[in-house]
Amino acid sequence: MYFPIAEVTVSPLLLALLGIVVGTMTGFFGVGGGFLITGGLLVLGVPTIYAVGTGLLMVMGTAITSTLRHRRLGNVDVRLAVLIVCGTIPGVFLGERVNSALEEAGISGPVVGAVYFVLLLTLGSLMVGNWLRRLRYRPARQDLGMFPRWFQGVRLGPSRIAVPGVGNVNLRPGFANAGIAEMSALVPVLTGLVIGFIAALLGAGGGFLLMPFLVYGLGIPPAVAIGTDLFQIIITGTLGSFLYSLSGNVDPMIAVIMFTAASVGTQIGALATRFVNSARILGLFGLTVLNAGVAVGIGQLARLIESDGLTLIGQLMLLGVSGLVALTIVLLLVIAAAAQMRRGRRLARLREIRSAGRVAAGGD
Amino acid sequence: MPSELLEILNVLRGYSVVWAVAVIAAMAVTAVALYVFWDLVGRGISLVARALNVGQPRRRQ
């Protein structure tokens, strides 16, 4: 199918498949999946600037749906989220400007591909390494770890400033939901700035960066990290896709096809979290991130040397491994549901036997 | 894609702010519509699951 806005021909089936895979992982792991969407669109041959813009639009849609679903959970530390967004907004503007400048210079593709490659490989390795360590050693709950101790303790700027009409404003506030007693307000603002910049440059919501940072960097409980992360993704996604749309670099047709397919996967993934403990297979997510990094690297190399064979290998790697992870989630869901169904039937049979026994005893 | 729709899209793209707002609004409406649709489907599945004694959720750790 030809998409006239992005001026590219892509099979809608492949787009839908990518959407379902991304949706399943989004629903299960609670991240936006932007790294996979933009990476996938790049591998499918969509021009870089359109892959980035369209990826942001889809991330925005996914974040809205996920937030609507999470609205009752109360897993958002509003103070932390607002401070992160304060940094995210200028970061997104900066990232979009840099990407447009790179596009004008004709080097957007290689630069975005290279940054993706390095980030995904690094993050994937860290996540797999952390997962393997946790399999052997479960740290005590009180043990914050080196990074959270440092980030929570670092002193950036003054502790208080006097604002006319307001009085003294505490610049080292506490974050109750996140379980942080005191932290410099500049830490989340600077975090938001960096995340927003990278997100707008790469066309992702930034969830794949912010989520691990909140959990491993700031020591925030994963549930609160997901809620706070989603809040930030809505802002990044909306602002980013608005800016890219202004330049006409978004193909809504591609986004809608992928998003509709992703909504099916999101439901499967969300349903699976009711039956399967996602923490146990976080390593699989790390492997997917690692694999996406390698696939993006291969895709970029294929463009450089104009090799159709390498392009195909990149496509197979990205969709194949991500698809396998999504399939594993579906299989785990089916197995767990079947086990519950058996347990339910057994309980029903036991109740029948008991009531039959009571009737027989009453008859005697 | 129908040529009329293509023409409308091309005209809209000429007005960058209108186009950007239309794109964002279209995605937001799609997101809410899909949420409502799947919410209704989920309620239906829950009713069936309850009837089949399935779906006593495990607590996440």
Side-chain angles (χ1 to χ4, degrees), chain A residues 75 141 177-180 211 214-215 218-228:
Chain A
N75 284 336
R141 203 167 273 275
N177 277 5
I180 297 173
M211 229 302 259
L214 291 178
V215 175
L218 296 185
I220 292 172
V224 181
I226 289 172
T228 310

Side-chain angles (χ1 to χ4, degrees), chain B residues 6-20 22-23:
Chain B
L6 201 62
E7 207 172 310
I8 293 169
L9 287 179
N10 277 330
V11 170
L12 265 178
R13 281 184 81 197
Y15 302 94
S16 54
V17 176
V18 178
W19 169 251
V23 165

Side-chain angles (χ1 to χ4, degrees), chain A residues 91-131:
Chain A
V92 169
F93 275 101
L94 204 64
E96 197 273 340
R97 283 294 87 209
V98 170
N99 202 351
S100 294
L102 289 172
E103 183 69 16
E104 278 168 26
I107 52 167
S108 168
V111 171
V112 169
V115 176
Y116 247 121
F117 180 68
V118 172
L119 268 179
L120 292 176
L121 277 187
T122 312
L123 262 176
S125 314
L126 281 172
M127 287 171 86
V128 172
N130 195 280
W131 176 64

Side-chain angles (χ1 to χ4, degrees), chain A residues 58-364:
Chain A
M58 198 182 139
V59 162
M60 180 203 116
T62 314
I64 290 175
T65 315
S66 303
T67 307
L68 282 171
R69 203 182 301 112
H70 281 85
R71 74 188 191 279
R72 288 182 201 151
L73 294 176
N75 284 336
V76 179
D77 190 306
V78 178
R79 184 178 285 171
L80 184 65
V82 167
L83 284 172
I84 291 173
V85 167
C86 284
T88 303
I89 293 170
V92 169
F93 275 101
L94 204 64
E96 197 273 340
R97 283 294 87 209
V98 170
N99 202 351
S100 294
L102 289 172
E103 183 69 16
E104 278 168 26
I107 52 167
S108 168
V111 171
V112 169
V115 176
Y116 247 121
F117 180 68
V118 172
L119 268 179
L120 292 176
L121 277 187
T122 312
L123 262 176
S125 314
L126 281 172
M127 287 171 86
V128 172
N130 195 280
W131 176 64
L132 289 174
R133 263 197 308 279
R134 271 169 186 257
L135 282 181
R136 283 177 292 173
Y137 162 71
R138 192 175 287 273
R141 203 167 273 275
Q142 293 83 357
D143 182 16
L144 261 184
M146 184 181 73
F147 291 117
R149 265 201 306 272
W150 190 82
F151 279 114
Q152 290 181 26
V154 70
R155 299 210 165 260
L156 289 172
S159 297
R160 285 176 182 277
I161 52 164
V163 179
V166 179
N168 275 340
V169 175
N170 184 10
L171 288 183
R172 286 190 64 80
F175 301 90
N177 277 5
I180 297 173
E182 193 188 69
M183 182 173 66
S184 171
L186 278 175
V187 171
V189 172
L190 289 175
T191 303
L193 186 77
V194 174
I195 300 281
F197 175 76
I198 298 174
L201 185 71
L202 301 183
F208 77 105
L209 293 170
L210 187 60
M211 229 302 259
F213 179 76
L214 291 178
V215 175
Y216 302 121
L218 296 185
I220 292 172
V224 181
I226 289 172
T228 310
D229 181 37
L230 278 170
F231 184 94
Q232 184 272 150
I233 290 173
I234 290 184
I235 307 294
T236 322
T238 308
L239 196 62
S241 45
F242 182 78
L243 290 173
Y244 276 89
S245 299
L246 279 178
S247 333
N249 293 324
V250 172
D251 194 318
M253 291 301 293
I254 294 178
V256 167
I257 290 174
M258 285 180 69
F259 181 54
T260 308
S263 76
V264 180
T266 308
Q267 303 308 314
I268 297 170
L271 188 64
T273 58
R274 297 183 65 188
F275 294 94
V276 187
N277 183 357
S278 62
R280 286 189 188 160
I281 56 167
L282 261 177
L284 276 180
F285 182 63
L287 278 178
T288 315
V289 174
L290 250 177
N291 173 66
V294 176
V296 167
I298 290 176
Q300 293 296 316
L301 186 67
R303 278 186 190 191
L304 202 70
I305 60 171
E306 294 175 357
S307 160
D308 290 342
L310 264 184
T311 307
L312 188 68
I313 291 173
Q315 286 181 0
L316 285 177
M317 272 187 74
L318 188 84
L319 292 178
V321 175
S322 310
L324 273 178
V325 173
L327 201 65
T328 308
I329 293 169
V330 174
L331 276 176
L332 286 171
L333 169 65
V334 171
I335 292 167
Q340 290 234 342
M341 201 185 283
R342 274 199 301 276
R343 204 179 306 150
R345 280 186 190 149
R346 215 178 300 143
L347 276 172
R349 214 177 301 142
L350 268 174
R351 273 191 220 115
E352 274 173 25
I353 292 168
R354 272 184 199 161
S355 61
R358 265 189 227 120
V359 169
D364 291 341

